């Protein structure tokens, strides 16, 4: 009975998020992309980056990643009521990416019942304009206790290219590539609103930047994310099509 009640609450919360998006006329999960000029990479557009323009110290106001910062998330699957714990931490380590840009290593570990289900090292750097770039990941998934690769890629290797995790000056309608490794990682994002809000265990965040993530690899999948100034990683991420997860920020320390 408790599980059923949880499912109902989560499904209702997701419906409210989607309804709010549609009320704004944002067309969530329509699979289209805005080509509003932003100077940011789109699709499989090649990029020519200069290492001197990048820094592993990230201070974007809406996605600061100070060494030692730590985010704890509750990951709820509203299809079955299961709960996982996701802990993200900015390490002091850096990695020289294949395209000669030094990136910050960010640890991301998902656990269920205390056991790791996915262990990831993500690589980020910030350009001189304040855009936060994503240069790849090393991801291991655990299935019945056995590790296996789950979408590892690195910019500059086998045609993979970096994307933008978060722009320095987001504007409604702006679109950009988040990552590109053909057939493996082709996530894209578009800015839906600058004045959204999100209620999560860590608190109430307003205004919040609201984006939609989507991918040509999975055209029926759509995820909404909410970023609040100074909170670093997204405070809330909700699958609104093709998935059933809701990630809620529980605690943020820095």
């Amino acid at each position: 009975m408790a599980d059923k009640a949880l499912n109902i609450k989560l499904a209702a919360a997701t419906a409210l998020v989607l309804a709010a998006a549609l009320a704004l006329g944002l067309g969530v999960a329509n699979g289209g992309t805005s080509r509003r000029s932003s100077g940011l990479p789109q699709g499989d557009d090649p990029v020519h980056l200069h290492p001197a323009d990048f820094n592993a110290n990230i201070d974007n106001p809406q996605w600061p990643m100070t060494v030692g910062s730590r985010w704890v998330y509750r990951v709820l699957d509203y299809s079955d009521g299961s709960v996982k714990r996701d802990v993200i931490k900015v390490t002091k380590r850096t990695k020289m990416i294949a395209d000669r840009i030094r990136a910050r290593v960010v640890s991301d570990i998902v656990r269920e019942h205390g056991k790791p289900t996915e262990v990831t090292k993500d690589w980020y750097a910030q350009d001189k304009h304040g855009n936060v770039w994503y240069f790849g990941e090393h991801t291991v998934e655990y299935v019945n206790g056995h590790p296996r690769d789950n979408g590892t890629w690195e910019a500059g290797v086998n045609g993979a290219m970096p994307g933008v995790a978060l722009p320095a000056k987001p504007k409604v309608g702006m679109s950009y590539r988040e990552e590109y490794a053909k057939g493996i990682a082709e996530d894209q994002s578009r800015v839906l609103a600058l004045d959204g809000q999100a209620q999560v265990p860590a608190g109430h965040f307003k205004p919040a930047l609201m984006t939609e993530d989507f991918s040509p690899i999975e055209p029926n999948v759509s995820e909404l994310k909410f970023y609040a100034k100074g909170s670093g990683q997204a405070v809330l991420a909700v699958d609104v099509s093709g998935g059933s997860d809701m990630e809620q920020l529980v605690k943020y320390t820095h």
Side-chain angles (χ1 to χ4, degrees):
M1 195 66 164
D3 286 345
K4 184 177 180 181
L6 174 62
N7 289 340
I8 292 173
K9 289 180 180 180
L10 295 177
T14 302
L16 286 172
V17 171
L18 180 56
L22 294 176
L24 290 172
L26 301 174
V28 172
N30 64 12
T33 60
S34 166
R35 285 280 175 172
R36 171 181 281 190
S37 176
S38 64
L40 303 178
Q42 311 277 341
D44 60 356
D45 292 347
V47 290
H48 304 285
L49 306 179
H50 302 287
D53 292 338
F54 285 81
N55 198 311
N57 296 318
I58 300 168
D59 60 2
N60 180 300
Q62 292 197 270
W63 197 333
M65 286 194 276
T66 307
V67 171
S69 293
R70 183 173 179 268
W71 297 263
V72 177
Y73 290 90
R74 178 182 298 135
V75 183
L76 307 167
D77 185 334
Y78 51 82
S79 69
D80 61 12
S82 62
V83 179
K84 295 180 181 177
R85 175 184 169 92
D86 186 5
V87 177
I88 300 174
K89 185 175 181 179
V90 181
T91 75
K92 63 181 181 181
R93 299 190 302 276
T94 60
K95 174 181 172 63
M96 184 65 74
I97 303 300
D99 57 12
R100 306 306 299 166
I101 290 174
R102 185 168 293 282
R104 179 65 56 191
V105 178
V106 177
S107 168
D108 186 344
I109 302 176
V110 180
R111 288 184 171 86
E112 186 172 18
H113 304 302
K115 297 181 179 180
T117 59
E118 188 173 84
V119 176
T120 303
K121 295 292 188 294
D122 292 305
W123 309 313
Y124 297 93
Q126 182 172 296
D127 68 21
K128 63 182 181 181
H129 302 293
N131 300 303
V132 179
W133 288 72
Y134 185 44
F135 289 88
E137 63 187 86
H138 180 271
T139 302
V140 176
E141 178 185 34
Y142 290 86
V143 180
N144 297 321
H146 300 289
R148 69 180 184 188
D149 183 79
N150 191 33
T152 294
W153 66 279
E154 180 179 341
V157 176
N158 297 325
M161 296 182 289
V164 172
L166 203 67
K169 298 179 180 179
K171 297 179 180 179
V172 173
M174 176 185 286
S175 66
Y176 47 92
R177 173 181 77 220
E178 291 189 313
E179 56 187 0
Y180 186 79
K182 189 173 182 180
I184 299 174
E186 298 185 30
D187 285 5
Q188 301 176 52
S189 187
R190 57 174 152 243
V191 177
L192 301 182
L194 304 178
D195 57 354
Q197 57 183 310
Q199 179 72 49
V200 294
H204 183 260
F205 296 87
K206 181 182 180 181
L209 169 66
M210 180 181 177
T211 68
E212 179 197 5
D213 284 5
F214 55 96
S215 170
I217 298 176
E218 299 176 294
N220 294 323
V221 174
S222 178
E223 180 183 42
L224 299 183
K225 290 184 177 180
F226 296 79
Y227 300 87
K229 188 174 181 179
S231 68
Q233 305 274 337
V235 298
L236 175 65
V238 184
D239 290 335
V240 292
S241 177
S244 57
D245 282 352
M246 178 186 294
E247 300 178 25
Q248 301 173 305
L249 183 65
V250 174
K251 187 177 182 180
Y252 168 45
T253 54
H254 58 97

